[in-house]
Amino acid sequence: MKLTIDKNKAVGYINPDIYGHFSEHLGRGIYEGIYVGEDSEIPNTDGIRNDVVEALKEIDVPVLRWPGGCFADEYHWMDGIGPKEKRKKMVNTNWGGVTEDNSFGTHEFMRLCELLGCKAYINGNLGTGTPREMSEWVEYLTGTGSSPMTELRKQNGHEEPWKVDYFAVGNESWGCGGNMRASYYADLYRHYQTFLRTYDSKNPIKKICVGPGTSDVKWTKTVLEACYEDANRDFHGFMDYLTLHHYVFPDGWNCKGSATEYSDELWYKSLKKALFMETIIKKNEAVLDDYDPEEKIALCVDEWGGWYDVEEGTNPGFLYQQNTMRDALIASATMDIFNKHSKRVKMACIAQMVNVLQSVLLTQGPDMVKTPTYYIFKMYKHHQGATCVDSYIANNESEGPAEWQIPKVSASASVKDDIMTVTVSNLSLTDAEEVTVDLGGDKVNAVLEAKILTAENVRAFNDFNKEETVTEKEYAGYGLDGGKLSLALPAHSVVMLRIK
Ligand code: AHR
């Protein structure tokens, strides 16, 4: 098989935020997974786990979305500020009906972003909140000078405003966020976004509009139409991003199956569904190209990943699942798609960062494991801030059972500071593959770094208190002969090379 890369044909700038994360008040995602409180015996900084921060820093988390998800539309931010013992408790009706004590709130989230060195993406409450509540949250976070909200922030110990890059008006408003029809949401979006003020003109807050959760673009058309209908093809700064959500439910919502004990058929079904991301993106790109040819509005895939049955014995509302090579390949193939659509896709957030769905980290008491998905983020971080260049695979054979055939190999390439990063995945469950890399006559002078992620047992996972079985290793399977690069890819593997 031949992978042709044209380094002179730029596809788009890969916004680092494509490699973003999402963390919701859901199960053990925030509490235990990230926040253990200052009095915990687990080493922490201001209540935030040191092991988790250290691991996340290694993968260069660019942006973090919080507090939900469905939770966002029931979250009242004022309950999560001020002295902890006085904070109002609530019931997390979406996720397990557990009591939320609000000990992790705005200050704690902004501290987490500070420790990670990442941008903050806050998801506002449209479903049960008012425009005033939303507007005051932005004022509390970013307001300068003296105002009721800035004084309250100072009283709570934070003198200076924070920098918040992104703010969303609701979440899945067609579903858990209020079961709204597109036209109703569109009007509410226009209304609420008006009161998301920018206090620092050098850092205007970017406004995020809820987009669809399927490949049907009716919703997208309706919200775009509503936001520019009277504005003469000008969005007047109403909208900077439109979201997309896409999960892989291997055999449908009612038959997700085990995270680790999947059949061979489910392997292919899962990857086929992951690759469907490209169709969803393309359909939305086409609508955006029509309404917004100047590309002022970007796509933000702020929830994506595999969604399986919860691990046995865990709370069904906590969405805790293990992670194998299937997840690694869902991640690598998805990220290749994001890279290739980086002209329009400017942000994406995996669901979710720790202990929920396709996590990069799992914790159990004081212990933590890095999942196969973690290692994909580590390998792909070199694409962040690079220019995606055109790549094409000739004779990309189909793999898998008739109805669920997928291309065997996924790849993408980018260039930054004269170094090319190439990521190539073999999606076959059983067969190895030889790939020759054609750089259009250019020679490869040196391979600066080469890594591989694979596992003999495709269903293996990293478990607590055991040796890591699925981990990034040095990749010795490439050949460099007279400047020509070739790759021997084992079945179900991902490789990353940095070449000059
Ligand atoms: O990520 C879990 C949930 O999935 C989110 O809360 C919601 O937005 C989506 O349906």
Side-chain angles (χ1 to χ4, degrees):
M1 208 176 276
K2 187 161 88 173
L3 166 65
T4 307
I5 302 173
D6 184 349
K7 75 165 197 239
N8 298 315
K9 206 163 162 198
V11 169
Y13 168 74
I14 301 177
N15 192 332
D17 297 347
I18 283 177
Y19 294 91
H21 294 252
F22 167 40
S23 203
E24 177 168 13
H25 287 241
L26 193 177
R28 299 186 304 111
I30 297 282
Y31 301 110
E32 291 185 39
I34 292 170
Y35 188 74
V36 286
E38 288 162 27
D39 300 332
S40 171
E41 282 177 9
I42 298 171
N44 68 81
T45 304
D46 300 328
I48 298 168
R49 292 179 76 122
N50 292 345
D51 53 352
V52 164
V53 168
E54 205 182 300
L56 292 173
K57 282 180 81 137
E58 264 181 70
I59 58 171
D60 293 352
V61 171
V63 61
L64 179 57
R65 174 181 181 232
W66 170 86
C70 298
F71 180 80
D73 280 298
E74 288 193 291
Y75 181 64
H76 299 286
W77 69 271
M78 281 213 185
D79 297 344
I81 55 169
K84 292 203 171 158
E85 62 287 359
K86 289 200 183 142
R87 292 190 191 175
K88 199 166 147 186
K89 293 187 172 51
M90 69 180 279
V91 175
N92 192 334
T93 48
N94 282 291
W95 307 118
V98 292
T99 301
E100 159 68 56
D101 70 0
N102 275 310
S103 55
F104 188 92
T106 300
H107 290 248
E108 291 75 20
F109 172 67
M110 294 311 293
R111 179 74 177 121
L112 171 62
C113 292
E114 195 177 284
L115 291 173
L116 295 176
C118 74
K119 294 180 191 161
Y121 166 6
I122 292 198
N123 207 117
N125 176 351
L126 173 74
T128 64
T130 60
R132 176 178 178 171
E133 182 183 11
M134 200 180 276
S135 177
E136 286 186 340
W137 200 2
V138 175
E139 181 187 331
Y140 185 88
L141 283 156
T142 62
T144 48
S146 179
S147 75
M149 290 304 114
T150 60
E151 291 308 318
L152 184 60
R153 183 189 69 222
K154 290 175 196 169
Q155 208 179 299
N156 287 330
H158 210 273
E159 189 66 28
E160 295 302 320
W162 286 286
K163 183 172 179 289
V164 174
D165 286 84
Y166 306 106
F167 200 98
V169 179
N171 166 70
E172 295 193 352
S173 306
W174 33 263
C176 66
N179 286 307
M180 298 173 195
R181 289 187 294 181
S183 55
Y184 181 64
Y185 172 77
D187 283 338
L188 285 184
Y189 177 79
R190 285 178 63 116
H191 175 181
Y192 277 59
Q193 66 77 33
T194 312
F195 305 100
L196 303 181
R197 309 284 186 206
T198 281
Y199 292 90
D200 173 3
S201 57
K202 282 196 220 101
N203 294 307
I205 199 157
K206 294 198 175 69
K207 299 170 186 177
I208 301 184
C209 174
V210 169
T214 68
S215 60
D216 186 342
V217 289
K218 252 193 291 176
W219 178 282
T220 302
K221 283 185 183 158
T222 308
V223 292
L224 291 179
E225 185 69 34
C227 287
Y228 100 143
E229 65 187 354
D230 60 355
N232 205 12
R233 290 199 91 85
D234 184 346
F235 284 91
H236 283 304
F238 278 12
M239 191 191 301
D240 297 292
Y241 283 75
L242 179 80
T243 68
L244 299 182
H245 287 183
H246 176 53
Y247 284 102
V248 172
F249 306 113
D251 219 2
W253 171 255
N254 291 320
C255 200
K256 303 181 197 80
S258 155
T260 53
E261 288 158 30
Y262 41 85
S263 64
D264 291 2
E265 190 187 55
L266 278 184
W267 167 274
Y268 288 103
K269 280 190 179 177
S270 305
L271 289 171
K272 179 129 188 151
K273 289 183 177 185
L275 293 171
F276 190 65
M277 176 71 86
E278 185 154 35
T279 305
I280 299 178
I281 289 174
K282 277 184 176 167
K283 283 181 146 193
N284 282 279
E285 275 173 347
V287 180
L288 278 167
D289 288 349
D290 188 19
Y291 282 88
D292 173 38
E294 286 172 36
E295 296 176 357
K296 288 184 179 159
I297 299 172
L299 288 172
C300 162
V301 188
D302 59 0
E303 288 188 30
W304 66 270
W307 188 325
Y308 318 122
D309 290 344
V310 299
E311 292 304 314
E312 225 178 286
T314 65
N315 186 328
F318 281 14
L319 310 187
Y320 176 77
Q321 64 191 40
Q322 255 296 350
N323 202 292
T324 70
M325 276 311 294
R326 174 172 62 169
D327 297 274
L329 285 151
I330 287 176
S332 64
T334 302
M335 290 171 181
D336 288 333
I337 294 170
F338 292 157
N339 285 346
K340 289 182 164 178
H341 290 267
S342 49
K343 211 160 163 255
R344 214 31 119 162
V345 179
K346 297 282 176 206
M347 185 172 17
C349 307
I350 191 166
Q352 300 192 4
M353 194 158 76
V354 189
N355 288 338
V356 177
L357 299 176
Q358 191 177 338
S359 313
V360 295
L361 298 173
L362 301 174
T363 69
Q364 182 180 275
D367 301 322
M368 181 193 80
V369 296
K370 295 172 175 169
T371 67
T373 303
Y374 174 91
Y375 287 107
I376 297 300
F377 273 88
K378 191 157 179 238
M379 289 158 88
Y380 274 67
K381 73 177 184 182
H382 301 291
H383 285 304
Q384 288 190 26
T387 299
C388 181
V389 294
D390 197 46
S391 60
Y392 170 73
I393 302 167
N395 308 321
N396 201 349
E397 299 151 27
S398 293
E399 273 285 308
E403 210 195 324
W404 297 99
Q405 293 223 318
I406 52 169
K408 188 168 187 183
V409 173
S410 164
S412 64
S414 70
V415 180
K416 185 164 70 178
D417 301 332
D418 268 348
I419 295 173
M420 181 181 285
T421 298
V422 186
T423 42
V424 189
S425 303
N426 181 356
L427 308 184
S428 171
L429 190 58
T430 47
D431 296 346
E433 183 63 41
E434 283 285 329
V435 174
T436 55
V437 182
D438 178 350
L439 292 176
D442 282 356
K443 285 189 173 165
V444 176
N445 295 316
V447 173
L448 307 176
E449 195 180 343
K451 298 280 190 236
I452 183 164
L453 187 78
T454 189
E456 230 161 83
N457 172 5
V458 78
R459 295 168 181 89
F461 54 90
N462 295 334
D463 207 354
F464 297 96
N465 304 314
K466 290 196 182 128
E467 210 183 315
E468 214 175 38
T469 46
V470 195
T471 190
E472 177 197 59
K473 295 206 171 111
E474 292 301 322
Y475 174 53
Y478 69 85
L480 190 56
D481 186 9
K484 285 204 157 114
L485 185 64
S486 60
L487 313 171
L489 302 176
H492 53 81
S493 66
V494 184
V495 302
M496 185 281 297
L497 292 102
R498 300 186 72 220
I499 58 181
K500 229 176 150 50

